């Protein structure tokens, strides 16, 4: 929907004037970036309402604010023992996301990555890290 943030997929599209975008939900689609004189997308920085890491610090990670590259730590519903390397360890939301709605993938400092609930089952395993 309007106002949602997606990631441009590196491989793009083989059709000139089109590019592929992967959304936080894990879905991806092709969009016009000049084809037929149309532009279906704007850069998130041009929207004005995309929050920075410091603005999100301590907030629950949800399907509406998840963005690859932002740093996270354990949230209030964490039940995954030490998959993150221990309390206070910081991970990074990754582009791959998850194919399951309400879940998103995190890569931890160890290099391990797993999917976590960001609204699925009415639970939030992650909050945005400070700084």
């Amino acid at each position: 929907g309007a106002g949602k943030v997606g990631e441009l997929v590196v491989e793009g599209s083989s059709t000139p004037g089109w590019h592929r975008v992967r959304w936080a939900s894990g879905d991806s689609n092709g969009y016009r970036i000049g084809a037929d004189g149309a532009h279906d997308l704007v850069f998130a920085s041009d929207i004005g309402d995309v929050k920075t890491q410091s603005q999100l610090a301590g907030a629950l990670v949800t399907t509406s604010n998840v963005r690859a590259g932002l740093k996270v730590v354990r949230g209030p519903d964490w039940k995954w023992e030490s998959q993150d390397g221990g309390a206070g360890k910081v991970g990074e939301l990754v582009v791959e996301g998850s194919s399951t709605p309400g879940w998103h993938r995190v890569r931890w400092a160890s290099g391990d990555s797993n999917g976590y609930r960001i609204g699925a089952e009415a639970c939030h395993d992650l909050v945005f890290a400070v700084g």
Side-chain angles (χ1 to χ4, degrees):
K4 299 292 183 187
V5 176
E7 292 278 331
L8 286 175
V9 178
V10 174
E11 60 267 13
S13 171
S14 59
T15 306
W18 288 78
H19 205 86
R20 184 156 291 287
V21 172
R22 182 173 298 118
W23 301 102
S25 67
D27 293 336
S28 68
N29 291 294
Y31 296 91
R32 294 173 296 180
I33 54 168
D36 305 320
H39 296 271
D40 297 321
L41 307 167
V42 295
F43 283 100
S45 60
D46 295 339
I47 300 171
D49 63 350
V50 176
K51 294 191 165 111
T52 65
Q53 179 79 47
S54 60
Q55 291 171 315
L56 289 167
L60 295 174
V61 178
T62 67
T63 56
S64 62
N65 65 12
V66 66
R67 255 186 6 257
L70 293 179
K71 307 294 187 204
V72 296
V73 294
R74 291 180 181 188
D77 299 310
W78 184 265
K79 68 173 191 174
W80 310 105
E81 298 179 2
S82 61
Q83 284 185 1
D84 58 353
K89 298 293 184 180
V90 176
E92 182 176 317
L93 294 165
V94 297
V95 173
E96 295 88 43
S98 172
S99 59
T100 306
W103 290 74
H104 200 84
R105 187 160 286 290
V106 173
R107 180 165 285 102
W108 301 104
S110 67
D112 292 338
S113 68
N114 290 291
Y116 299 96
R117 300 169 296 178
I118 58 169
E121 304 168 13
C123 293
H124 294 85
D125 295 322
L126 305 167
V127 297
F128 289 101
V130 175

